[in-house]
Amino acid sequence: MKSRTQQNTTISDYSEKQNTIISPQPERHNPVHAPLPGLGLRSLKTALAAMLTALLYAFLPDSNPTFACIGAVFGMGADMEESRRSGGNRFFGTIIGGFIGLGLYWLEHLAFPEGCYWLRLPLIFLGIVIMIALCVLFHWPGGVQPGGVVLCIILFNTPAHHIDYAIHRMLDTGVGVLIALAVNYLLPRNRLEHWFHLEQKKKEENR
């Protein structure tokens, strides 16, 4: 049989291993800065994606680039994997929130054709609960915030043509996310580092 000292040592070793597994050391964030004070390469790509999105909508008559630009900002990540994740959160949440908002808007005006603010109170509660449940079900918890934004806009600030409005918001968000993905694909980190001659600066800093 093990002595009490040996048992305590074994338990201590096991606890240390468990702590290492449960509480890993956080990864060090090492951003690559562009030749502008306080700005990283991701900042420049985010601004470029928003500008290109607004430029595209300048050629689309009777269009508003607001939601598309928001989608571009949300869809920009440090790399393609992060862009797909953050952009997917925005797009998925917008679709879920949009369709739930349309359904609740229809229920409200089915009971009260002129609308009823007091009915929207339980509807917004029900809609957000359903939206969160769906985001968790489809393993997209990051879609809760953007979905909630669209849901609230549709319920409380939707014009008469609510179906067109909701569909346009979903499409606009998708356009912005796609532009952000395209910018990140065409301007990967290593290419920008080469253009801004940051590779040489990193070598000099590591000496």
Side-chain angles (χ1 to χ4, degrees):
M1 294 180 63
K2 293 182 179 179
S3 66
R4 184 175 298 274
T5 302
Q6 291 175 326
Q7 290 177 350
N8 291 338
T9 302
T10 303
I11 294 172
S12 177
D13 292 341
Y14 176 77
S15 299
E16 290 178 0
K17 291 179 181 179
Q18 287 294 99
N19 290 334
T20 302
I21 296 173
I22 296 174
S23 304
Q25 294 296 325
E27 295 183 359
R28 294 181 60 187
H29 181 59
N30 187 23
V32 177
H33 293 287
L36 291 173
L39 291 180
L41 297 178
R42 177 179 175 179
S43 304
L44 298 181
K45 290 193 291 184
T46 302
L48 177 61
M51 184 190 70
L52 292 176
T53 302
L55 177 62
L56 172 64
Y57 274 71
F59 298 97
L60 300 177
D62 301 325
S63 61
N64 189 327
T66 302
F67 272 79
C69 289
I70 293 173
V73 172
F74 270 85
M76 181 56 65
D79 49 34
M80 281 299 295
E81 181 180 355
E82 187 177 337
S83 278
R84 284 192 291 265
R85 183 173 60 252
S86 56
N89 287 340
R90 177 73 188 181
F91 187 59
F92 181 82
T94 300
I95 291 177
I96 293 293
F99 280 115
I100 293 176
L102 284 176
L104 297 179
Y105 187 92
W106 176 79
L107 286 176
E108 177 195 349
H109 287 77
L110 182 66
F112 298 92
E114 299 299 324
C116 178
Y117 182 87
W118 300 107
L119 179 59
R120 294 174 198 170
L121 302 182
L123 288 180
I124 193 68
F125 177 87
L126 177 64
I128 290 179
V129 169
I130 294 174
M131 182 196 61
I132 293 175
L134 289 175
C135 287
V136 172
L137 176 65
F138 290 104
H139 304 288
W140 283 99
V144 171
Q145 288 84 357
V149 170
V150 175
L151 175 58
C152 292
I153 290 176
I154 292 176
L155 277 182
F156 294 104
N157 195 32
T158 304
H161 304 290
H162 58 284
I163 296 179
D164 291 342
Y165 179 86
I167 292 176
H168 285 158
R169 296 297 77 79
M170 298 178 200
L171 293 176
D172 291 343
T173 300
V175 169
V177 169
L178 288 176
I179 290 178
L181 290 174
V183 169
N184 225 345
Y185 177 78
L186 295 174
L187 299 175
R189 181 169 178 164
N190 57 351
R191 183 174 297 174
L192 290 177
E193 288 179 358
H194 177 71
W195 286 355
F196 288 114
H197 304 289
L198 297 174
E199 295 173 333
Q200 185 64 31
K201 292 182 180 179
K202 288 171 65 177
K203 292 179 180 178
E204 292 176 357
E205 291 176 356
N206 294 329
R207 288 178 180 175

